[in-house]
Amino acid sequence: MVLIYYLIIYYNSVQERLNNEAKLREIIKESELNLLKSQINPHFLFNSLNSISSLTTTDAVKAQEMIIKLSDFLRYSISNPGNMFSTLGSELENIKRYLEIEKIRFGDKLFFDFQIEESCFNLEIPVMILQPLFENAVKHGVYESIGQVFVKTSCENSGNKLVAIIENNFESNIKSKQGAGIGLNNIRERLRLIYRNDQLVQTAVNGDIFQVKLIIPQILKENEDVERKIKSTDY
Amino acid sequence: MLKEKLKALIIDDEEPARNLIKNFLSDYPNIELTGEFTDGLSGLKAINELKPDLIFLDIQMPKLTGFEMLELMELRPHIIFTTAFDQFAIKAFDEHATDYILKPFSKERFAKAINRVIENPENINSNEKHIRSILKTVNEKKEFILRIAVKSGTKIDVIGVHEIIYFEAEGDYVMIYTKNDCFLKEKTMKYFEDHLDNSQFVRIHRSFIVNVNEISRLEHYDKENYLAVLKNQKKLKVSSAGHKLLKQLLHL
C-alpha cells in the first residue's frame, strides 16, 4: 500500500516537472520571438519598402540596390543572438547600410561621415549595440527637422578601451525625447551586464548638437594576459 | 460623380513616398496635383490657403503631426491617411472606420481609396464629427502633452508647455497664457488637466490651471481662500481643493 502511495507521489512530481518544462519552453519561444521582433524596426522596414516600391517606377537600378542593402541589413540585424560580440568594422558596415537606406528616404536632409582610427576596426564590440544610437539620430534629428541633419561618428582606440562618439544636430521641436532615453538606458544596461560598469554611456548637449559617447572596454585575451605578467617581472 | 477637377495636395516628408503617389495619380486625369509639402506646418498653411478637395496626409511629420494638423484645419477636405506603421494611429482609425492606406500600398489599394472619394462626396473622412471623434481617441491615449499647436489669426504656432504660464477657462474654450501672448484653444480644462504633467501643472481652481514654476507666492486672503501670485504679478484664485493639491506638491 505504502509503495503505491509513493509511486503516485513520484508520478505526480514527474508530471509537474514535465508541465513546468513545457511552460518554460513556451516562455523561451515567446521571448525569442519578442527578441526577433525587437530587432526589426517596423517603421523603418515598411517605409524602406515603400521607398523601394517608389524607386521601381523611377530608378529600377537603385531599387535593386536598395533591396540588397535592406536584405543585408536585416540579415545582420537578426543574426544569431548567441554571438554576443562583433567587430567594430562589421558593426559600422551595418550602420552604413542603415544610413544609406535612410538617405534614400530623406535625400539632402541627411548627411553622415565616419572618422575611424585604423586600429579600431578589429576591436570587439557587443553586437548591434550602436544601432539604437543611429536610429535615435534619425528619429530625433531627421524626422523632426526641416533642415539638414549631420550624423558624425568617430572612434578611437584609447589604451584598452574603444571610445565611440556619435553626434548629430537637431531642431528643437519639443517633441517627446522619451524614446531616446529608453534606447540609451537599454544600451547602458546591456553594457553594465557585460562589463559590470554603469558609466559606459555618456550624453551631452551643446546648443543644437546632441552627442553620445560609448566606452567599450576591451577584454584582454588569455595569452595576452600571461605575456603582460611575464613582462612585468622583468627587472 | 464629380465633374470638375479635384485639387489635390501631398503632404509627406519623404520624396520617394511623394513620387509614388504622384506616379499612381497620373492614372486620374480628373485629379490635379496642386502642391507637395514636406512638413506639417507648411502643409497646414497650404491647406488653409489653397483649399484643396483632397489631401494625402502622412501622420508622422516634422513640426506638426498629421493629427495636430487636423486640429487646426479650417476646412475638411477629403483625406487619405497614409502611414507605414503607426499602431497608435491605426488603432484610432480602426475604431472610427476611417479609410487609411498602409505603406507600401499597391496600385489597387490606392485606386480603392481614390474611388471612395470620387464616388462618395460625403466621404466619411471629410466629415467634421468623424474627424473630431478620431482626434478625441488620439488625444485620450496621449502621454503628457509637451507641445500645443495654436492659431492666432492666420498664424500657426507650436508652443512648448514649459512656455505656458497658466490656462484660464473661457466657456467652451481655454485661453492659454504665455509670457508675451495668449491663445484660444478649443479644448476643455479637463482635457488639459488630464494630459499635462501634474507635477508641473496644477488645477488650482475651476477656472485656472497654473504652471507651478511660475508661482511666486501664495496669499491667504480669507477663511478658505487663497490667491496664487505669479512671477508676472498676476493673481489667480485658488480653491480649497486647489490649495490642497498645491500643498502636497510644493510641500508647504
Side-chain angles (χ1 to χ4, degrees), chain A residues 54 104-105 143 171 173 176, chain B residues 14 16 60 62-63 104 146-147:
Chain A
S54 174
I104 295 175
R105 287 169 65 192
Y143 275 30
E171 283 170 28
N173 268 301
S176 171
Chain B
E14 298 180 36
Q60 143 61 42
K63 301 303 172 195
L146 291 170
R147 70 184 193 192

Side-chain angles (χ1 to χ4, degrees), chain A residues 193-231:
Chain A
L193 287 172
I194 297 172
Y195 300 105
R196 304 190 207 294
N197 184 335
D198 60 2
Q199 306 288 321
L200 299 176
V201 179
Q202 294 162 18
T203 61
V205 179
N206 275 325
D208 70 341
I209 299 197
F210 180 73
Q211 187 196 80
V212 180
K213 188 186 206 178
L214 229 62
I215 300 165
I216 312 287
Q218 296 299 300
I219 300 170
L220 296 170
K221 307 237 166 34
E222 223 189 316
N223 33 351
E224 275 176 27
D225 232 327
V226 173
E227 235 183 283
R228 280 169 130 244
K229 274 206 189 120
I230 293 174
K231 279 211 171 111

Side-chain angles (χ1 to χ4, degrees), chain A residues 90-155:
Chain A
S90 303
E91 282 290 299
L92 288 178
E93 225 175 44
N94 208 49
I95 296 297
K96 204 157 155 271
R97 279 179 206 124
Y98 169 72
L99 290 173
E100 283 168 6
I101 293 168
E102 295 287 45
K103 188 154 175 83
I104 295 175
R105 287 169 65 192
F106 297 106
D108 285 343
K109 267 175 83 172
L110 172 62
F111 288 92
F112 49 91
D113 73 55
F114 297 88
Q115 307 267 3
I116 317 292
E117 225 178 76
E118 195 59 42
S119 61
C120 287
F121 286 103
N122 285 323
L123 294 183
E124 203 175 63
I125 189 167
V127 82
M128 290 298 279
I129 198 94
L130 297 176
Q131 181 63 25
L133 298 175
F134 291 89
E135 281 179 18
N136 276 352
V138 171
K139 193 167 171 210
H140 300 281
V142 187
Y143 275 30
E144 301 299 326
S145 303
I146 291 180
Q148 292 177 337
V149 172
F150 290 85
V151 181
K152 291 189 163 78
T153 308
S154 59
C155 295

Side-chain angles (χ1 to χ4, degrees), chain B residues 24-39:
Chain B
F24 284 175
L25 268 183
S26 59
D27 288 338
Y28 301 89
N30 57 333
I31 299 180
E32 187 187 329
L33 184 63
T34 45
E36 296 175 45
F37 298 89
T38 58
D39 72 87

Side-chain angles (χ1 to χ4, degrees), chain A residues 57-71:
Chain A
T57 68
T58 56
D59 188 339
V61 170
K62 218 170 176 189
Q64 189 176 61
E65 282 171 10
M66 196 172 171
I67 289 173
I68 305 301
K69 233 170 240 168
L70 183 59
S71 165

Side-chain angles (χ1 to χ4, degrees), chain B residues 67-215:
Chain B
F67 291 127
E68 283 170 324
M69 289 168 67
L70 276 183
E71 279 184 8
L72 296 175
M73 252 181 241
E74 281 160 17
L75 11 115
R76 294 292 174 217
H78 297 292
I79 305 175
I80 293 179
F81 292 102
T82 66
T83 179
F85 182 78
D86 192 328
Q87 286 194 307
F88 184 62
I90 289 167
K91 197 151 182 250
F93 291 148
D94 284 339
E95 263 175 48
H96 300 276
T98 309
D99 195 19
Y100 62 93
I101 51 182
L102 283 173
K103 295 172 173 175
F105 42 84
S106 63
K107 227 179 199 185
E108 289 71 35
R109 183 62 189 89
F110 183 83
K112 205 168 152 201
I114 296 275
N115 288 331
R116 272 210 188 110
V117 170
I118 295 177
E119 284 158 18
N120 183 8
E122 299 307 301
N123 184 286
I124 193 170
N125 280 12
S126 62
N127 179 282
E128 175 65 28
K129 229 175 123 192
H130 177 75
I131 298 289
R132 293 266 156 216
S133 62
I134 299 175
L135 286 175
K136 191 159 177 274
T137 302
V138 166
N139 287 328
E140 255 156 43
K141 293 180 182 145
K142 253 192 205 161
E143 321 149 325
F144 295 147
I145 299 171
L146 291 170
R147 70 184 193 192
I148 303 177
V150 293
K151 216 164 33 172
S152 177
T154 50
K155 196 164 171 285
I156 296 162
D157 249 311
V158 181
I159 48 178
V161 291
H162 59 277
E163 296 175 64
I164 299 173
I165 299 179
Y166 68 99
F167 298 77
E168 182 170 357
E170 294 273 342
D172 288 333
Y173 294 65
V174 173
M175 191 65 102
I176 303 176
Y177 289 88
T178 57
K179 190 162 166 223
N180 299 316
D181 229 325
C182 61
F183 307 94
L184 207 54
K185 187 79 180 169
E186 197 178 340
K187 283 229 160 48
T188 61
M189 289 291 275
K190 180 145 187 9
Y191 168 77
F192 286 115
E193 196 185 339
D194 290 343
H195 293 91
L196 288 167
D197 183 355
N198 292 125
S199 66
Q200 203 193 345
F201 290 91
V202 179
R203 181 94 181 254
I204 55 174
H205 188 269
R206 206 179 54 236
S207 306
F208 299 109
I209 294 174
V210 74
N211 180 345
V212 295
N213 296 327
E214 295 294 327
I215 299 179

